[in-house]
């Protein structure tokens, strides 16, 4: 074995141990959200904080520094996409970022965002932005410092924050797709409103037994390809998916007897994330090649299964007879077409997490247009409510009645997650662009869904997305798959076609 091979082996052994340690935190975190008795909170926080400290020590250790230097990790060309090069370069990227941040800043961000989230909870409850404003000011100042510490090349400070969640993305790249997407969506939403059609959504809030919702959801998640021999579905207040490692991926959802879509599409959404986790290359477990490439690509997988597959007419051609049998009292007098129209209801609403597939992206763009000037210093935190309401009116034709359901509705800013929002809308665009190629490769996908066949699409995603790990950045991955740079057009085309049919546009 050459020296370089030995060094590479030593590096991967180090990285794998760190991943194992991190996955122990994931188990504890999952348990905290699903099972933990209230009395166990403090002890659990101590456990998680100990593990976080150990992981941080390992990812900034002198041993890693030695290995990266000996492997000349800083100089591996970005274009080299062989697995070894990717593993070294991407692991070094994480190391470099972690060591650029002064320990004092890391601790201060952690302290302030913990307190700021508490302040946000009560400020939101009391609809009192002035109580949250000083915390938002502190968070923005710290995030600016973080951006300076990380660096942003020829770009702007916001790029450094965006890059945490969507490696390789910049404000420029995002603006170039968001601007035309926004124009198209505002006009589509207006056309839908002017159509005067409103599906009967009350059928979705009839009584749906929770036990039956659970079995029905598990059945659908299994059919689209989530493997329950290597996963579970449990209940959590804020649903998520957590891949612990090879052979163990946890999904969560929440049930409401009087709201069928919440748990059902929530389950499909998390199953989409889970299928990505289950599709990662196990040989590279714990290494960049065996890890998901970005939050945006992760979200593309969940949105693709939830919206493109799960809200399609053909999906329900297959599932609706079983749904009518399972929920006979709620659905026996509802036609397939009316059910399909109800689950695809589009209307402007205040709350992002409850928004439909069309208006959702507008909620994201609004946040993106506020975050950038905040970080640049061109917008003062105290002016956020006014700017929010002005943009909201412009995008949705509604003025939020208060800040609690306006600029204070999300936890992200109080938690320091500035730069995170764009990944949700990028996910929708990535999904549409890759789905177009999948359709060209696999023939008529809706026909397959109508027959209850989902495996060809799942396997296509396994090969083209999941098994590639971090081989490419998200932006590059989309180019490799489609031969084109990221564009808003496939998503607009999809939405226009689907909703023109549903609303008679
Ligand atoms: Zn998601």
């Amino acid at each position: 074995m050459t020296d370089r091979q030995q060094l590479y082996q030593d590096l991967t052994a180090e990285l794998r141990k760190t991943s194992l340690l991190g996955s122990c935190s994931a188990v504890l975190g999952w348990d905290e959200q699903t099972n933990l008795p209230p009395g166990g909170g403090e002890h659990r926080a101590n456990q998680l904080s100990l593990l976080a400290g150990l992981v941080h020590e390992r990812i900034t250790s002198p041993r890693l520094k030695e290995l990266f230097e000996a492997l000349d990790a800083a100089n591996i060309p970005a274009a080299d996409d062989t697995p070894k090069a990717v593993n070294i370069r991407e692991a070094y990227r994480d190391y470099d970022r972690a060591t650029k941040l002064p320990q004092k800043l890391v601790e201060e961000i952690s302290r302030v965002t913990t307190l700021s989230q508490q302040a946000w909870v009560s400020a939101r409850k009391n609809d009192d932005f002035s109580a949250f404003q000083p915390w938002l000011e502190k968070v923005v100042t710290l995030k600016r410092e973080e951006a300076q510490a990380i660096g942003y090349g020829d770009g702007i400070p916001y790029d450094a924050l965006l890059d945490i969640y969507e490696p390789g993305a910049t404000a420029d790249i995002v603006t170039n797709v968001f601007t035309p997407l926004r124009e198209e969506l505002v006009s589509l939403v207006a056309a839908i409103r002017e159509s005067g059609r409103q599906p009967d959504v009350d059928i979705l809030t009839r009584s749906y037994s929770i036990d039956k919702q659970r079995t029905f959801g598990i059945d659908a998640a299994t059919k689209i390809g989530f493997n329950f021999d290597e996963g579970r579905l449990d209940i959590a207040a804020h649903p998520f998916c957590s891949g612990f490692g090879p052979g163990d991926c946890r999904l969560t959802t929440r049930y409401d007897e009087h709201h069928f879509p919440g748990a059902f599409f929530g389950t499909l959404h998390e199953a989409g994330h889970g299928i990505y986790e289950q599709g990662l290359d196990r040989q590279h477990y714990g290494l960049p090649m065996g890890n998901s490439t970005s939050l945006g690509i992760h979200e593309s997988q969940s949105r693709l299964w939830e919206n493109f597959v799960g809200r399609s007419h053909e999906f329900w051609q297959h599932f609706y007879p079983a749904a009518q049998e399972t929920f006979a009292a709620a659905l026996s007098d509802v036609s397939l077409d009316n059910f399909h129209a109800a689950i695809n209801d589009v209307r402007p609403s205040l709350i992002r997490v409850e928004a439909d597939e069309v208006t959702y992206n507008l909620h994201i763009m609004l946040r993106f247009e506020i975050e950038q000037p905040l970080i640049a210093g061109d917008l003062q935190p105290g002016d956020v409510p006014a700017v929010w309401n002005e943009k909201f009116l412009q995008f949705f034709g509604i003025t939020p009645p208060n800040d609690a359901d306006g600029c204070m509705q999300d936890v992200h800013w109080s938690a320091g997650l500035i730069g995170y929002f764009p990944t949700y809308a990028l996910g929708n665009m990535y999904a549409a662009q890759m789905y177009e190629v999948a359709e060209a490769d696999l023939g008529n996908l809706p026909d397959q869904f109508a027959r209850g066949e989902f495996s060809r699409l799942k396997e296509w995603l396994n090969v083209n997305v999941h098994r590639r790990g971090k081989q490419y950045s998200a932006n590059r991955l989309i180019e490799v798959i489609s031969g084109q740079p990221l564009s808003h057009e496939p998503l607009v085309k999809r939405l226009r076609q689907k909703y023109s049919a549903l609303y008679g546009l």
Side-chain angles (χ1 to χ4, degrees):
M1 190 182 287
T2 65
D3 273 3
R4 194 169 168 84
Q5 278 171 329
Q6 186 60 54
L7 289 165
Y8 178 73
Q9 280 206 352
D10 290 354
L11 175 68
T12 56
E14 282 294 311
L15 296 172
R16 284 196 159 105
K17 275 191 215 161
T18 308
S19 282
L20 273 174
L21 196 57
S23 74
C24 298
S25 302
V27 177
L28 292 175
W30 167 84
D31 178 77
E32 183 179 12
Q33 304 287 320
T34 52
N35 291 309
L36 191 75
E42 198 179 328
H43 183 62
R44 178 56 44 87
N46 291 336
Q47 292 174 312
L48 284 168
S49 143
L50 173 67
L51 285 172
L54 291 174
V55 166
H56 185 77
E57 248 171 57
R58 292 191 57 85
I59 59 176
T60 54
S61 75
R63 176 66 184 141
L64 272 193
K65 185 172 195 257
E66 264 172 41
L67 287 167
F68 284 129
E69 277 171 4
L71 286 161
D72 199 21
N75 295 313
I76 292 180
D80 189 345
D81 54 24
T82 56
K84 268 189 192 172
V86 170
N87 282 337
I88 300 170
R89 185 182 59 235
E90 296 305 310
Y92 177 71
R93 204 185 108 87
D94 294 344
Y95 166 84
D96 186 47
R97 174 185 292 277
T99 49
K100 269 180 182 162
L101 295 176
Q103 188 63 25
K104 260 184 89 175
L105 180 61
V106 173
E107 285 167 12
E108 184 64 0
I109 289 176
S110 158
R111 189 185 71 81
V112 166
T113 53
T114 302
L115 295 172
S116 152
Q117 283 179 75
Q118 291 166 10
W120 167 75
V121 169
S122 79
R124 186 177 182 214
K125 207 166 100 197
N126 301 324
D127 184 29
D128 181 6
F129 182 80
S130 65
F132 177 53
Q133 187 184 323
W135 291 101
L136 184 58
E137 281 164 3
K138 286 191 178 80
V139 169
V140 168
T141 306
L142 288 169
K143 294 308 277 188
R144 277 193 204 132
E145 277 178 45
E146 186 180 340
Q148 294 303 335
I150 295 169
Y152 39 85
D154 303 330
I156 57 170
Y158 187 77
D159 291 344
L161 304 180
L162 194 54
D163 190 77
I164 299 172
Y165 311 106
E166 202 61 15
T170 62
D172 254 0
I173 293 176
V174 175
T175 304
N176 281 340
V177 283
F178 274 18
T179 306
L181 181 64
R182 191 187 67 199
E183 270 173 45
E184 294 278 359
L185 292 180
V186 167
S187 99
L188 180 58
V189 170
I192 288 173
R193 195 173 42 222
E194 282 153 23
S195 78
R197 279 199 202 175
Q198 284 203 340
D200 175 12
V201 291
D202 292 346
I203 57 173
L204 302 174
T205 53
R206 291 173 173 178
S207 171
Y208 294 83
S209 139
I210 287 177
D211 277 353
K212 287 180 181 172
Q213 282 191 52
R214 180 180 149 75
T215 331
F216 193 77
I218 287 179
D219 183 49
T222 308
K223 282 211 173 117
I224 65 169
F226 183 79
N227 179 358
F228 278 91
D229 289 334
E230 303 191 339
R232 286 178 56 92
L233 173 69
D234 293 274
I235 295 174
H238 304 286
F240 61 94
C241 160
S242 183
F244 292 168
D248 194 353
C249 177
R250 307 301 175 95
L251 313 179
T252 60
T253 192
R254 60 178 167 212
Y255 298 96
D256 175 347
E257 189 194 333
H258 291 283
H259 190 244
F260 174 77
F264 184 77
F265 292 108
T267 301
L268 284 191
H269 180 100
E270 300 308 335
H273 283 303
I275 289 169
Y276 190 179
E277 291 290 319
Q278 291 184 333
L280 293 170
D281 186 349
R282 293 179 184 200
Q283 284 182 14
H284 285 284
Y285 170 70
L287 308 177
M289 279 298 294
N291 209 339
S292 53
T293 193
S294 76
L295 285 182
I297 293 293
H298 227 304
E299 198 62 10
S300 76
Q301 301 304 288
S302 56
R303 301 283 169 140
L304 187 150
W305 287 107
E306 177 195 352
N307 292 329
F308 300 179
V309 181
R311 290 184 206 266
S312 69
H313 197 273
E314 292 80 3
F315 178 92
W316 288 101
Q317 281 170 29
H318 177 72
F319 280 99
Y320 199 59
Q324 275 188 313
E325 200 180 319
T326 310
F327 308 106
L331 294 177
S332 57
D333 65 340
V334 178
S335 70
L336 169 59
D337 285 351
N338 286 345
F339 178 80
H340 179 244
I343 58 168
N344 286 294
D345 176 52
V346 172
R347 64 184 89 183
S349 61
L350 291 172
I351 307 293
R352 172 185 65 87
V353 296
E354 293 165 7
D356 58 77
E357 152 186 44
V358 180
T359 57
Y360 187 88
N361 299 292
L362 294 172
H363 287 272
I364 297 306
M365 290 170 204
L366 182 146
R367 287 154 176 79
F368 176 65
E369 290 186 12
I370 288 177
E371 286 185 343
Q372 285 183 90
L374 263 184
I375 292 299
D378 298 333
L379 172 66
Q380 296 314 306
D383 296 330
V384 166
V387 174
W388 179 286
N389 291 349
E390 188 186 304
K391 284 187 183 290
F392 209 90
L393 181 63
Q394 189 192 333
F395 287 17
F396 297 93
I398 309 176
T399 303
N402 55 53
D403 295 331
D405 290 333
C407 67
M408 283 200 293
Q409 65 181 269
D410 300 298
V411 68
H412 297 61
W413 291 341
S414 70
L417 301 174
I418 298 176
Y420 190 114
F421 282 123
T423 67
Y424 296 117
L426 287 171
N428 287 326
M429 284 184 275
Y430 296 148
Q433 196 156 339
M434 59 177 78
Y435 190 85
E436 239 182 32
V437 182
E439 276 209 298
D441 287 354
L442 301 173
N444 194 321
L445 284 171
D447 279 359
Q448 295 171 30
F449 304 158
R451 294 194 300 267
E453 291 171 19
F454 305 97
S455 59
R456 295 186 66 199
L457 176 59
K458 190 210 139 212
E459 280 154 19
W460 188 93
L461 292 167
N462 283 154
V463 171
N464 286 285
V465 181
H466 310 163
R467 280 191 214 122
R468 282 177 162 152
K470 283 190 194 291
Q471 186 173 20
Y472 308 112
S473 69
N475 226 37
R476 179 83 188 108
L477 176 66
I478 286 302
E479 275 185 27
V480 168
I481 291 175
S482 69
Q484 304 286 330
L486 174 65
S487 158
H488 67 292
E489 280 167 8
L491 180 64
V492 169
K493 201 171 135 201
R494 253 199 87 71
L495 295 174
R496 280 215 177 270
Q497 264 173 9
K498 174 173 173 181
Y499 290 94
S500 294
L502 275 162
Y503 285 86
L505 306 179

